[in-house]
Amino acid sequence: MKIGIVGTGNISTRHLNEFSKIENVNVEAVCDTNVENLNLFLKNNKEKKIRGYSSLENMLENEKYFDGISNTTPDKFHKETSLQILNKGFNIFCEKPLAENYQDAKEMVDAAQKSKKINMVNFTYRESSAYQKLVEILKSGQLGTPRHVSACYYQSWLASDKWGKWREDDKWLWRLSTKHGSNGALGDTGVHIFDFAVNAVGDIKEIFADLKTYYDKGDKIREYILDANDGFNSLVKFENGAIGTITNTRYATGHANSVILEVFCTQGGLKVELDEERTKWSTLHICQNENINKMAWDIINCPKTPSNYQKFIESIKTNKNLQPDFSQGAKIQKIIDSCIKSNDNKSWIDINIM
Ligand SMILES: NC(=O)c1ccc[n+]([C@@H]2O[C@H](COP(=O)([O-])OP(=O)(O)OC[C@H]3O[C@@H](n4cnc5c(N)ncnc54)[C@H](O)[C@@H]3O)[C@@H](O)[C@H]2O)c1
């Protein structure tokens, strides 16, 4: 199978590596409007003999056949590039967040449905086998009804140099600027934690969110105005009656990239805590049966489950669109828009009537 990649920045190497691991799947061509990034990518992977183009238009004109195209451009470009890809009749694997807002996301869903092409959003943390098991157990009802949910996403790149110096690098600076299409921590990593919680527990009915931008870090660097939120707290009410908190920050010192979900049900609790190195991605914590009165937790080691990249290829092969698809991406986008509205209005927002 032949894969193309649009955008050769930070995450594109993961796309290249993950697709290359799958039997009979090759990344054939890539494009980037930034020639420096394009050339670096081609140089770093020269043994793969990948063809490079300076724009998506160029790539689509010259490459007549792809089984699928990965979209790894920044958030602001997802809509226009994804529509181009779908309109040319290609299956698409798009990075999260699907778009900058729900209206755009909905347009992308409509285009995907019209084209009848496979469409997927890369909600990475679904790749945790412990998370997949957590979802399975919750859906089975063996722990009763979910009552209380705590979900948080911790990064610390604004307070550490673990991933480099954010003040000097465009790849961090666009994430801090609404003008550059960023919805801050909410749009960047908030989408992951909302997808994580909603896919496991069920849809959110109402939300109250408080977004925070810290201006003491400075308000402008070069062309980047640092006005996007650096973190948020939200209170949620799920359709099934459970309540919870969903939070996210870029100031969680001691955590490079941690994604934590705890779900407490009427007959037991579940917890996953994912770390940057993926050492805990197969470890599920469960409290049930006689352990409930002992305050004790068992560990279930969960066998590996397919990656999103594998699921995208499987979807193309079987012509059956596995999750997470563009509709799920749009559903999460609606929650993001609701958080922004809640923060602006300082009120609870009913997501269904957004
Ligand atoms: N799933 C995950 O866990 C995860 C992790 C990191 C990033 N991401 C997402 O991946 C996307 C890219 O992030 P990144 O960190 O790689 O950003 P980046 O800034 O490092 O790279 C983006 C690249 O896209 C190029 N580009 C911009 N517009 C283009 C266009 N119209 N056509 C072709 N190329 C274009 C840029 O020049 C740049 O090289 C973002 O949407 C981000 O949210 C997802």
Side-chain angles (χ1 to χ4, degrees), residues 123-139:
F123 288 127
T124 305
Y125 302 96
R126 289 199 184 204
E127 295 183 352
S128 154
S129 58
Y131 173 72
Q132 290 298 333
K133 189 72 185 170
L134 177 147
V135 175
E136 187 190 311
I137 293 174
L138 279 179
K139 305 263 183 243

Side-chain angles (χ1 to χ4, degrees), residues 6-12 31-34 37 56 72-75 77-78 80-81 95-97 122 124-125 171 174-175 188 192:
V6 192
T8 54
N10 194 27
I11 196 74
S12 61
C31 66
D32 200 304
T33 45
N34 178 325
N37 287 1
L56 175 59
T72 69
T73 58
D75 312 358
F77 304 99
H78 288 180
E80 80 183 56
T81 45
E95 264 305 342
K96 48 50 60 178
N122 193 20
T124 305
Y125 302 96
K171 80 169 181 245
W174 70 252
R175 288 175 157 82
D188 186 17
H192 279 303

Side-chain angles (χ1 to χ4, degrees), residues 14 125 127-131 256-259 272-285 299-302 304:
R14 177 177 287 276
Y125 302 96
E127 295 183 352
S128 154
S129 58
Y131 173 72
N257 197 55
S258 303
V259 179
V272 287
E273 180 171 1
L274 312 185
D275 56 349
E276 194 197 11
E277 286 78 25
R278 301 198 174 205
T279 55
K280 301 179 187 168
W281 284 43
S282 56
T283 311
L284 175 66
H285 300 258
I299 283 178
I300 303 176
N301 288 311
C302 309
K304 220 170 177 336

Side-chain angles (χ1 to χ4, degrees), residues 47 66 75 97 130 136 161 167 180 217 225 258 296 330 341 351:
E47 74 292 347
F66 283 121
D75 312 358
E136 187 190 311
D161 289 343
R167 290 174 188 279
H180 289 80
K217 66 185 188 298
I225 296 166
S258 303
K341 190 169 177 194
I351 292 179

Side-chain angles (χ1 to χ4, degrees), residues 15-59:
H15 285 237
L16 170 66
N17 293 341
E18 291 299 321
F19 279 122
S20 302
K21 277 187 210 162
I22 307 171
E23 211 182 337
N24 295 326
V25 175
N26 291 309
V27 172
E28 299 271 325
V30 297
C31 66
D32 200 304
T33 45
N34 178 325
V35 178
E36 219 176 283
N37 287 1
L38 175 69
N39 287 339
L40 183 67
F41 181 96
L42 294 173
K43 186 172 151 229
N44 289 344
N45 301 291
K46 61 175 180 294
E47 74 292 347
K48 291 197 154 66
K49 298 192 169 35
I50 297 168
R51 296 178 290 283
Y53 298 92
S54 59
S55 72
L56 175 59
E57 291 78 5
N58 251 334
M59 183 167 90

